[in-house]
Amino acid sequence: MILRTLFLSLLLSATVFAHGVFHNIVDGAVAIRVTAPNNIAIDNAKITIYAPESSLPFTKGKTDLNGNFAFVPDSHGKWKVDIDVPSDHGSHLKSFHVTIDEKQNVKEFEKTPYDRYLNIISALGFLFGIFGIISLLKTRKKDTN
């Protein structure tokens, strides 16, 4: 009787694990964060991912409350990302490419023109500031004479 009860409880406990929830951490995922220009996260932005040389979507989804979306690429190459942010005055569409290397890591991605030219704009602003200070000091010296 005890052996029968032990066998039955073992059998029932094995079926409990069949309905469990398991998780795993995946290396090589590509995460995209969608924000407004003032760095505020945009939730529910529609994301469509296209594999290299494919016209059919690899995956689709929406960003979470923090503006994040992630996918795991299954091959290397240039992946296309389409972002559609709906608003009261129409959709804001954004499209760019992400290059994935053979190890499934992000090799490079297209940046916005602002990000690409930020260093140049900063250097020009610094130079204009220096020349402005020099001009101000020169005009003050002339005014005191």
Side-chain angles (χ1 to χ4, degrees):
M1 182 70 172
I2 295 175
L3 191 58
R4 181 188 245 177
T5 307
L6 183 62
F7 178 73
L8 187 60
S9 63
L10 183 62
L11 184 66
L12 289 174
S13 67
T15 60
V16 169
F17 291 114
H19 296 285
V21 176
F22 301 96
H23 67 277
N24 197 358
I25 305 298
V26 177
D27 289 328
V30 177
I32 299 166
R33 184 158 193 261
V34 180
T35 61
N38 51 2
N39 205 24
I40 295 176
I42 298 176
D43 62 340
N44 288 323
K46 297 175 188 174
I47 307 284
T48 306
I49 308 293
Y50 296 91
E53 300 177 19
S54 175
S55 59
L56 296 173
F58 176 76
T59 188
K60 291 181 178 183
K62 292 185 177 184
T63 56
D64 64 7
L65 288 173
N66 297 317
N68 297 319
F69 179 83
F71 71 100
V72 180
D74 62 353
S75 64
H76 64 280
K78 193 179 254 190
W79 290 70
K80 183 181 177 193
V81 178
D82 287 342
I83 301 173
D84 180 5
V85 180
S87 69
D88 295 338
H89 55 274
S91 290
H92 298 273
L93 303 174
K94 174 79 176 168
S95 188
F96 64 95
H97 290 90
V98 177
T99 304
I100 306 297
D101 64 12
E102 289 79 15
K103 296 179 181 179
Q104 307 303 79
N105 295 322
V106 175
K107 183 177 178 182
E108 64 183 354
F109 63 96
E110 293 176 8
K111 295 183 178 181
T112 61
Y114 175 79
D115 290 336
R116 280 184 275 178
Y117 302 117
L118 181 62
N119 291 337
I120 295 170
I121 293 169
S122 298
L124 288 174
F126 180 75
L127 290 174
F128 281 127
I130 294 292
F131 287 124
I133 291 171
I134 291 170
S135 298
L136 180 68
L137 292 175
K138 282 186 174 184
T139 57
R140 280 193 173 187
K141 285 182 183 178
K142 288 180 183 178
D143 289 342
T144 58
N145 290 336

